[in-house]
Amino acid sequence: MMESPSVGLKRMIKRGILPVVKENAYDQRNLFLAGGLMLSQVASLTGLEPYVIQNWVRRGFVAPPERKRYSRRQFSRIVLINMLKDSMQLDKICALLSYVNGELDDESDDLIDDFQLYLYIVRLAALVEHQPPSGPDEAARWCQTAAESYRESVPGARDRVARCLHVILTAYLAGRLKQEAEALLAALA
């Protein structure tokens, strides 16, 4: 008999296969001990050209750095956008992130810290690597389960976060399928 996705996800977390998402799980990372990352460090870690990151800041996709340093939240936002840009248009990514975080260049109206959102996505990606969802309904249940640990700041926020995660997970899966299709096409030549 097949176990439910939420039971399977909880079992994988308990066994240590998937990380438990805690807001301060990586606060002591050396990268952010110096007060944040310089633009060159963000570019190096993400593989993006510095002008792309600066353009995203200028367009309001990411809050401006403070004293030329990007915070953990800003870095996570950049990573999220970078991860999604191959399967979604930038304006759609921004609309999705605005769904949970309001104005993208203003962190005060965020329902969820971008770092916490990133950690949820990492958990879901690890689950996909272990066993891909059988369909959209299962992926949606995984996202609901992943968001169970989220503490709502306003009523309905958990549901919004779960819906956002579902879109991100679907885009992640689409990106993987795109890479697979390109590899198959290359093999034809």
Side-chain angles (χ1 to χ4, degrees):
M1 184 164 132
M2 200 164 164
E3 63 185 50
S4 77
S6 60
V7 171
L9 182 59
K10 289 174 184 172
R11 183 170 287 140
M12 291 178 76
I13 292 168
K14 188 174 181 179
R15 289 182 185 161
I17 297 169
L18 298 178
V20 176
V21 176
K22 294 181 181 175
E23 189 169 329
N24 63 356
Y26 296 99
D27 276 355
Q28 300 306 312
R29 297 299 290 229
N30 290 336
L31 293 174
F32 295 96
L33 289 177
L37 300 175
M38 299 295 293
L39 177 61
S40 61
Q41 293 171 303
V42 174
S44 177
L45 290 168
T46 61
L48 293 167
E49 293 293 332
Y51 74 87
V52 171
I53 298 164
Q54 291 170 324
N55 184 33
W56 291 353
V57 170
R58 199 170 18 266
R59 293 174 67 184
F61 302 163
V62 179
E66 291 187 30
R67 295 183 306 280
K68 297 186 178 186
R69 296 200 174 266
Y70 290 85
S71 69
R72 180 183 71 174
R73 290 177 84 151
Q74 292 163 315
F75 177 73
S76 297
R77 169 76 54 87
I78 291 165
V79 170
L80 288 170
I81 295 170
N82 191 35
M83 180 187 84
L84 293 171
K85 71 179 175 50
D86 288 336
S87 57
M88 294 177 73
Q89 297 172 343
L90 278 175
D91 63 324
K92 306 273 190 218
I93 296 168
C94 292
L96 173 64
L97 295 175
S98 291
Y99 178 72
V100 290
N101 284 342
E103 295 295 322
L104 296 183
D105 59 354
D106 178 8
E107 295 175 351
S108 68
D109 62 352
D110 290 2
L111 291 179
I112 184 169
D113 182 308
D114 286 302
F115 181 66
Q116 187 179 14
L117 185 63
Y118 170 76
L119 290 178
Y120 285 137
I121 294 163
V122 168
R123 180 194 297 179
L124 290 166
L127 184 58
V128 164
E129 293 302 318
H130 181 71
Q131 173 189 341
S134 61
D137 291 340
E138 184 174 29
R141 285 191 300 273
W142 286 3
C143 295
Q144 287 289 339
T145 301
E148 283 178 1
S149 65
Y150 170 73
R151 285 187 241 142
E152 285 188 307
S153 54
V154 296
R158 182 178 293 113
D159 186 53
R160 288 177 80 90
V161 168
R163 288 180 187 189
C164 178
L165 287 171
H166 189 205
V167 173
I168 292 171
L169 178 60
T170 302
Y172 173 75
L173 291 168
R176 286 186 55 193
L177 287 173
K178 179 183 174 192
Q179 289 175 345
E180 195 175 314
E182 289 172 352
L184 290 170
L185 181 61
L188 294 176

